[in-house]
Every structure is written in C-alpha cells, then in structure tokens.
Amino acid sequence: MRTFRVELGAQAHPVHIGPGLIARAGDLIVAAGLDSTRCAVVTDATVAPLYASPLVESLATAGFEPALIEVAPGEQSKSLHTAETVFEQIAQARIERSGFVVALGGGVVGDLAGFVAATYLRGIALIQVPTTLTAQVDSSLGGKTAVNLRSAKNLVGAFHQPRAVIADIATLSTLGEREFREGLAEVIKYAAIMDGPMIADLERDMDAILRRDLSVLEAVVERSLRHKAYVVERDEHESGLRRILNFGHTIGHALETAAGYGSFLHGEAVAVGMVAAARLSREFAALDISDEARLVSLIERAGLPTAIPTRWRELGLLDAMALDKKRAGGAIEFILLRELGHAITRRLTLDEIVAHLS
Ligand SMILES: NC(=O)c1ccc[n+]([C@@H]2O[C@H](COP(=O)([O-])OP(=O)(O)OC[C@H]3O[C@@H](n4cnc5c(N)ncnc54)[C@H](O)[C@@H]3O)[C@@H](O)[C@H]2O)c1
Ligand SMILES: [Zn+2]
C-alpha cells in the first residue's frame, strides 16, 4: 500500500493506494479518526454486487454499523431527485452528526454521495472509495461534489473534503475496456501539464497499463493523485492554479455537449480536446512540433480518439464554446503547453481557435 497526505490544514487527510484495500477499509477509516458507529455506504447497482460485501464486512469488523444504499448506475443518478432518496435512507438509518458516508463507486457515486455528505445535517464526514480509473486519479480527490440540473452538469454542489481516499486498484480489473481507457486521458493530462518525465514513463509502461498490471497501475494512480493533490493544496477553491487541470477540457466539454452526452465519454472528449489544445499550443505557446506529435501518439496508444469530428462546425462546437466565451467575458481562457510538463494560461478569441483548428 502507498500512502500520502493531502495537506489542507484542518482538512488534511490521507490517501491510500493499493490492491485489496477494500478489505482493509474499516481499519483505515478507524485510523482516519472516525469513531461513530453508524455510517452509510452509497454505491450503484453495478458496483454493489462486486464490492459492497467485502466493504460492509470490513466496516462491521472494525466496529461500525453500515447501512447499504444503492442507486442506479449512470450519470442520471447525479440528480437532486436521487440525492433526496439517499437523504431519506440516511435519515432512516439514524445517522447522526458524528456519522459518515462512504462513497463506493465511480465519479457519479463520488459526486452524489459527496454532495449528500456535504449537506446532510450541514455536513458529515465523507470517505471516498473510488472504483473507476477516472475516480481513482481525479474525482475522489479535491473535494468537489455536485449534482446536475436538467440545464447543465454540476450546477449544484459544494466543496467538501473527504476524511480519507482509499483507492483499491484491484477494482480496476472489472472495469469495461472503454471506461478504463477513458480514465487514461486524465493520467496523460497530468503528465502533459506538470510532469514531463511522466510522458516517457507512460510511453514505456503503456502496454503494461493496458494489461492492467497491478504494480504499474499502483504507481500510475499514486503519481496522478500526488499531482492532483499538489494543485489542490495550492488552490483548493479553483481561483488560479487549479485551472490548469482543465487542459483539454475547454474543447472537450464543448465536444461532449455538442455531440450529445453519450457519444463521447468524458475522457474521450478530453483526449480530442488535448490534441486540439496541443495544436493551439504550437501556435500560441511555441510548443515544439515533436512534443505535439509525442503527446498525440501517446493518446493514440492509450486507445483514445484524437481527431476532431470533421463536421464539428455543424455539431455546434462553436456555439458550445461561445457559451464558455460569454462566461469568460470576451475571450476563452485556454490552458496551453509551453513544453511537455509545463502548462500556461492564455486568453484566445474564438476566431483564433477556429483559424487553427479547421
Ligand atoms: N468531483 C470531481 O472533481 C470530478 C472530476 C472528474 C469527474 N467527475 C464526475 O465523475 C463522473 C464520471 O465518473 P466515472 O467516469 O467514474 O463514471 P461512473 O461513476 O458513471 O462509472 C462508470 C460506470 O462504471 C461502473 N463501475 C464503476 N466501478 C466499476 C468497477 N470497478 N468495475 C465495473 N464497473 C464499474 C459504474 O457502475 C458505471 O456504470 C461525472 O459525473 C463527472 O462529472 C467529478
Ligand atoms: Zn476531466
């Protein structure tokens, strides 16, 4: 098991990464300082039959009384409606101010259960037990929780730091191929924006990663989480540095919206967005053409898409980005690469973006 701490003052907490950690979760939660007996494990109907029993058992052995709460799998569960059903079940289980919520699942469960923990009784403790690669390298750390409204994603939420993150990498073995590869987009993102040498390590290890070799995955998940922690420690509420984590996301989000949710998974859209951002980086941040090519081929080797759909104008990509532009007041704040491992921020106009992407 690998362990490090996210240093956030009173919100500081441990992060554990390793195979088989679900069976040790009870002890790790005791070690994190939680001692109330009643708690809730929130999970989805796909993850429950795979991992809920060992987690509940481990909690019970450590002296806790867990109530299991199941929601339907998928993004539609990140809603106020589902949150309400979870609140009701937590109330029925008589979980008190000193109780806690364990989020067992991907980013959907993490965001939903996190939102519930952030608001139930004005906030109770939260433990993240991420089971997708996206959740293990990204959403479980950083304290962002949210549900969606019909009009847009993540519109209602709160910052609520977990008391511990427990990433059991053995759970990645049951993840679908497409969901696994999608998580690699965020891994490559960390290397691109803040760890040049990690690009070479990912090039060397990509075959082992795709085989889901546990020791290689453990190192990759730890390195990614340490990078996220570094950024979050310096900018918890996203007023500056944390924005570099949006590399590939401006065009990625626009693509997700324009193409309709579902046609591109988030990580796939981010992969295309990173390729587009690398092209713009060549123009506006003097990124070397060979660095751009290296990033694109790494994304390809991860089995992720790299081409912006040729009908992107018709897809409404421009409209989607114009919405971003409105928010930023004129130009779009873009994360570019000066070199592999070094991100900068630049304001670009829609015209500049269009001129270099079409
Ligand atoms: N809070 C943040 O900082 C943050 C960051 C990134 C993404 N997110 C959010 O995360 C969500 C996406 O998360 P996701 O990609 O993990 O999707 P997800 O939670 O929907 O999980 C994907 C699918 O995999 C299944 N699954 C989960 N673990 C499994 C396992 N070990 N084996 C087999 N199947 C498994 C789930 O049931 C689901 O059907 C989005 O809502 C996004 O907004 C939040
Ligand atoms: Zn992302």
Side-chain angles (χ1 to χ4, degrees), residues 110-120 122-123 126 128 139 142-147 154-162 236-237 242:
D111 280 12
L112 169 74
F115 174 71
V116 165
T119 48
Y120 186 73
R122 298 188 188 82
L126 168 70
Q128 290 280 7
S139 58
K144 279 194 192 176
T145 75
V147 295
N154 298 327
L155 229 46
V156 177
F159 282 99
H160 190 59
Q161 293 294 340
E236 190 182 349
H237 297 114
R242 192 162 174 174

Side-chain angles (χ1 to χ4, degrees), residues 46-65:
T46 302
V47 176
L50 294 168
Y51 305 111
S53 302
L55 178 60
V56 164
E57 234 165 78
S58 155
L59 286 164
T61 307
F64 299 111
E65 275 177 48

Side-chain angles (χ1 to χ4, degrees), residues 44-47 50-51 72-75 78 104-111 128 130-136 138-146 148 153-154 170-176 179 182-183 186 228 242 249 266:
D44 74 28
T46 302
V47 176
L50 294 168
Y51 305 111
E75 187 72 30
K78 251 179 73 172
L104 171 70
V108 163
V109 163
D111 280 12
Q128 290 280 7
T131 63
T132 63
L133 187 56
T134 301
Q136 293 196 354
D138 188 358
S139 58
S140 62
L141 193 151
K144 279 194 192 176
T145 75
N148 306 325
K153 277 193 61 164
N154 298 327
T171 61
L172 299 178
S173 64
T174 52
L175 200 57
E179 284 73 22
E182 132 179 76
E186 307 288 352
K228 179 138 190 202
R242 192 162 174 174
H249 282 62
H266 173 74

Side-chain angles (χ1 to χ4, degrees), residues 30-351:
V30 171
L34 293 167
D35 54 10
S36 157
T37 52
R38 293 208 191 94
C39 60
V41 173
V42 179
T43 190
D44 74 28
T46 302
V47 176
L50 294 168
Y51 305 111
S53 302
L55 178 60
V56 164
E57 234 165 78
S58 155
L59 286 164
T61 307
F64 299 111
E65 275 177 48
L68 187 62
I69 300 174
E70 216 177 281
V71 302
E75 187 72 30
Q76 74 279 4
S77 280
K78 251 179 73 172
S79 67
L80 284 169
H81 172 73
T82 309
E84 188 179 0
T85 66
V86 177
F87 285 132
E88 291 291 357
Q89 291 176 80
I90 287 185
Q92 270 160 29
R94 301 210 318 277
I95 288 164
E96 292 153 6
R97 188 76 192 72
S98 58
F100 60 94
V101 171
V102 184
L104 171 70
V108 163
V109 163
D111 280 12
L112 169 74
F115 174 71
V116 165
T119 48
Y120 186 73
L121 299 177
R122 298 188 188 82
I124 64 174
L126 168 70
I127 303 285
Q128 290 280 7
V129 183
T131 63
T132 63
L133 187 56
T134 301
Q136 293 196 354
V137 300
D138 188 358
S139 58
S140 62
L141 193 151
K144 279 194 192 176
T145 75
V147 295
N148 306 325
L149 296 186
R150 232 166 274 126
S151 48
K153 277 193 61 164
N154 298 327
L155 229 46
V156 177
F159 282 99
H160 190 59
Q161 293 294 340
R163 294 284 292 273
V165 176
I166 301 170
D168 183 340
I169 53 158
T171 61
L172 299 178
S173 64
T174 52
L175 200 57
E177 187 63 23
R178 207 174 155 199
E179 284 73 22
F180 179 78
R181 287 172 188 251
E182 132 179 76
L184 291 176
E186 307 288 352
V187 170
I188 293 170
K189 178 188 78 178
Y190 293 117
I193 60 173
M194 57 197 293
D195 188 354
M198 187 174 173
I199 295 278
D201 291 345
L202 290 173
E203 288 169 341
R204 183 195 62 207
D205 294 336
M206 189 52 78
D207 293 339
I209 291 171
L210 292 172
R211 275 201 311 276
R212 305 193 201 179
D213 177 293
L214 285 184
S215 65
V216 174
L217 280 181
E218 185 173 337
V220 164
V221 170
E222 184 201 8
R223 195 163 177 177
S224 301
L225 282 177
R226 279 185 185 272
H227 288 322
K228 179 138 190 202
Y230 176 93
V231 172
V232 169
E233 282 166 356
R234 280 154 190 80
D235 179 19
E236 190 182 349
H237 297 114
E238 193 163 347
S239 47
L241 178 68
R242 192 162 174 174
R243 293 198 195 118
I244 67 169
L245 298 176
N246 289 333
F247 177 63
H249 282 62
T250 307
I251 290 176
H253 280 149
L255 202 58
E256 266 184 292
T257 314
Y261 287 111
S263 26
F264 275 105
L265 295 180
H266 173 74
E268 293 168 348
V270 168
V272 174
M274 287 195 291
V275 171
R279 202 179 308 164
L280 292 167
S281 299
R282 186 145 53 87
E283 200 61 37
F284 298 105
L287 178 71
D288 204 88
I289 191 166
S290 62
D291 279 355
E292 180 197 358
R294 241 180 116 187
L295 182 65
V296 173
S297 75
L298 185 60
I299 294 170
E300 270 168 0
R301 272 189 68 203
L304 289 161
T306 53
I308 299 182
T310 40
R311 288 163 48 82
W312 69 293
R313 282 164 189 281
E314 291 98 294
L315 279 175
L317 203 60
L318 284 175
D319 291 348
M321 278 199 291
L323 207 77
D324 245 34
K325 172 181 151 184
K326 231 185 285 162
R327 289 194 203 115
I332 295 174
E333 184 167 277
F334 231 90
I335 310 301
L336 298 174
L337 301 178
R338 208 172 62 192
E339 57 188 57
L340 291 179
H342 195 114
I344 60 164
T345 304
R346 208 153 147 206
R347 294 173 76 79
L348 297 180
T349 65
L350 261 187
D351 290 345

